[in-house]
Amino acid sequence: MIDHAHDLASVRDATERLLTAVGTLDNAAVTQPSRLPGWTRGHVLAHLARNADALVNVLEGRPMYVSAEARDADIERDAPRDLGVQLTDLRESAARFQETGDAPADWSRTVELRNGVKDAAARVPFRRWVEVELHHVDLGIGYELEDLPGEFTEREIDFLADRFAGHPDVPPTRVTDGTRAWSTGRRPDGGPEVTVTGSPADLLGWLAGRRDGAALTVDGGPLPALPPL
């Protein structure tokens, strides 16, 4: 069962780690490239702030974004801002998300995210947790996949394995860290099942498109090419 209150507390902790780390930067560092192609660190920070507000919209029954074009324009507008402005926006938008999450609500209801994706309201805090943790890594400022909380890593691997489950372009695949295992890709059709083995951080990096999978061991065929998230 999803514990939205637990996940809201985890979002709060992850946000504090992010704010503390970003607070050590300077204005020049914010303009430097992040690990995401075409985005500076300022783009990542702007996206995180606007995503918090977008998830408030989701929880309050409004469209997540006015449009894809408006979402992109807001990020481009906010990316060049000075570090102090970025930090204030991150902190205030995070507080708005927490305030909305703390309000009494029916967490069993279904909400709509981008592109018509629907999910339980109770899963929204975990989705925000994903945004904060992975984009903290994307900043390239010393926080790595290996630094992520173990609970988060396991749950995100589970989430992504489920996301690719049944995908026609992904062969039947078993993903394992040697202790736990997940199944993903097409349903077994009598053909060989590919087994991908690695550390939790490397498995998450591959599934989330943050690493190329070179550190993984693959049996039964080549490393599957995963579609974009």
Side-chain angles (χ1 to χ4, degrees):
M1 180 177 291
I2 304 168
D3 185 345
H4 72 274
H6 168 80
D7 289 346
L8 282 167
S10 297
V11 171
R12 187 179 293 110
D13 292 343
T15 300
E16 286 303 316
R17 285 194 295 274
L18 173 70
L19 288 168
T20 298
V22 173
T24 67
L25 303 179
D26 56 25
N27 287 329
V30 173
T31 67
Q32 292 171 354
S34 73
R35 290 172 172 172
L36 295 177
W39 271 17
T40 65
R41 292 182 177 125
H43 284 88
V44 176
L45 298 176
H47 165 63
L48 278 167
R50 300 288 69 77
N51 172 262
D53 287 334
L55 290 177
V56 168
N57 289 337
V58 168
L59 290 175
E60 294 185 344
R62 296 186 295 275
M64 187 169 180
Y65 296 102
V66 173
S67 67
E69 294 77 15
R71 170 189 176 273
D72 294 345
D74 285 348
I75 293 171
E76 289 295 333
R77 178 198 65 208
D78 294 343
R81 298 175 302 178
D82 288 346
L83 174 63
V85 181
Q86 297 277 16
L87 281 169
T88 297
D89 192 17
L90 276 172
R91 188 175 293 107
E92 291 179 351
S93 59
R96 288 191 291 271
F97 175 76
Q98 291 289 341
E99 181 179 4
T100 302
D102 289 338
D106 174 13
W107 288 95
S108 67
R109 71 191 188 281
T110 297
V111 295
E112 185 169 332
L113 296 106
R114 291 182 69 197
N115 303 319
V117 172
K118 295 184 178 180
D119 204 350
R123 199 185 296 273
V124 171
F126 179 71
R127 287 179 175 272
R128 176 60 182 173
W129 191 10
V130 172
E131 293 287 328
V132 175
E133 293 286 17
L134 290 186
H135 286 317
H136 190 167
V137 174
D138 293 334
L139 288 171
I141 56 176
Y143 190 68
E144 303 297 340
L145 294 172
E146 286 78 7
D147 298 317
L148 296 170
E151 178 202 349
F152 171 82
T153 297
E154 182 174 353
R155 287 178 61 187
E156 180 64 353
I157 291 174
D158 185 70
F159 178 82
L160 292 172
D162 184 67
R163 181 166 182 167
F164 294 125
H167 198 290
D169 297 331
V170 181
T173 304
R174 179 175 182 268
V175 177
T176 179
D177 62 2
T179 301
R180 295 154 296 190
W182 300 262
S183 294
T184 193
R186 296 192 306 270
R187 294 186 179 184
D189 54 6
E193 180 182 63
V194 178
T195 298
V196 179
T197 306
S199 71
D202 283 324
L203 291 173
L204 175 57
W206 170 61
L207 288 166
R210 265 66 179 184
R211 292 184 180 173
D212 62 9
L216 301 173
T217 300
V218 188
D219 297 307
L223 182 69
L226 299 176
L229 290 172

